[in-house]
């Protein structure tokens, strides 16, 4: 379980029960957890998190640039996806 994050408004999701009490919504399955983790990983630049400097993607040095081959960018993206413990294999 993880805190549910709405990617359209970029904020946590609050749920309301029948009595009008607000609560923080949680993800319900591993697919939601993985989707959120990958979303955060690809939105985070390397060295942005002081507690984990290796987390995220180094877009400026490794992805963006003139004449950067698509195969190298694909390899970087696949390597980042494989870092998540919930990913067993990449099929496509």
């Amino acid at each position: 379980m993880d805190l549910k994050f709405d990617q359209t408004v970029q904020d946590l999701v609050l749920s309301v029960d029948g009595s009008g009490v607000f609560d923080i919504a949680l993800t319900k399955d591993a697919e939601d957890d993985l989707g959120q983790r990958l979303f955060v990983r690809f939105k985070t630049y390397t060295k942005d998190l002081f507690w984990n400097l290796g987390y995220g993607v180094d877009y400026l040095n490794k992805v963006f640039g003139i004449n950067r081959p698509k195969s190298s960018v694909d390899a970087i993206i696949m390597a980042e996806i494989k870092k998540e413990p919930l990913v067993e294999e990449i099929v496509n």
Side-chain angles (χ1 to χ4, degrees), residues 4-14 36 39:
K4 188 158 180 87
F5 187 77
D6 186 359
Q7 297 173 7
T8 56
V9 295
Q10 298 180 355
D11 202 359
L12 292 173
V13 176
L14 297 176
Q36 288 195 162
F39 177 77

Side-chain angles (χ1 to χ4, degrees), residues 22-35:
F22 286 97
D23 194 12
I24 296 176
L26 301 174
T27 57
K28 302 203 182 319
D29 55 9
E31 292 174 6
D32 287 340
D33 288 346
L34 179 60

Side-chain angles (χ1 to χ4, degrees), residues 9-83:
V9 295
Q10 298 180 355
D11 202 359
L12 292 173
V13 176
L14 297 176
S15 60
V16 182
D17 63 3
S19 63
V21 176
F22 286 97
D23 194 12
I24 296 176
L26 301 174
T27 57
K28 302 203 182 319
D29 55 9
E31 292 174 6
D32 287 340
D33 288 346
L34 179 60
Q36 288 195 162
R37 288 179 183 184
L38 289 174
F39 177 77
V40 170
R41 182 175 290 278
F42 285 113
K43 289 286 187 177
T44 305
Y45 296 103
T46 304
K47 299 180 184 172
D48 272 356
L49 304 176
F50 68 89
W51 62 88
N52 189 354
L53 296 175
Y55 189 85
V57 181
D58 188 7
Y59 288 106
L60 295 177
N61 296 320
K62 294 185 178 179
V63 177
F64 300 140
I66 298 173
N67 296 329
R68 186 85 56 192
K70 181 185 179 300
S71 58
S72 67
V73 175
D74 288 345
I76 292 168
I77 291 172
M78 291 178 92
E80 288 297 322
I81 292 172
K82 288 179 182 177
K83 287 180 184 177

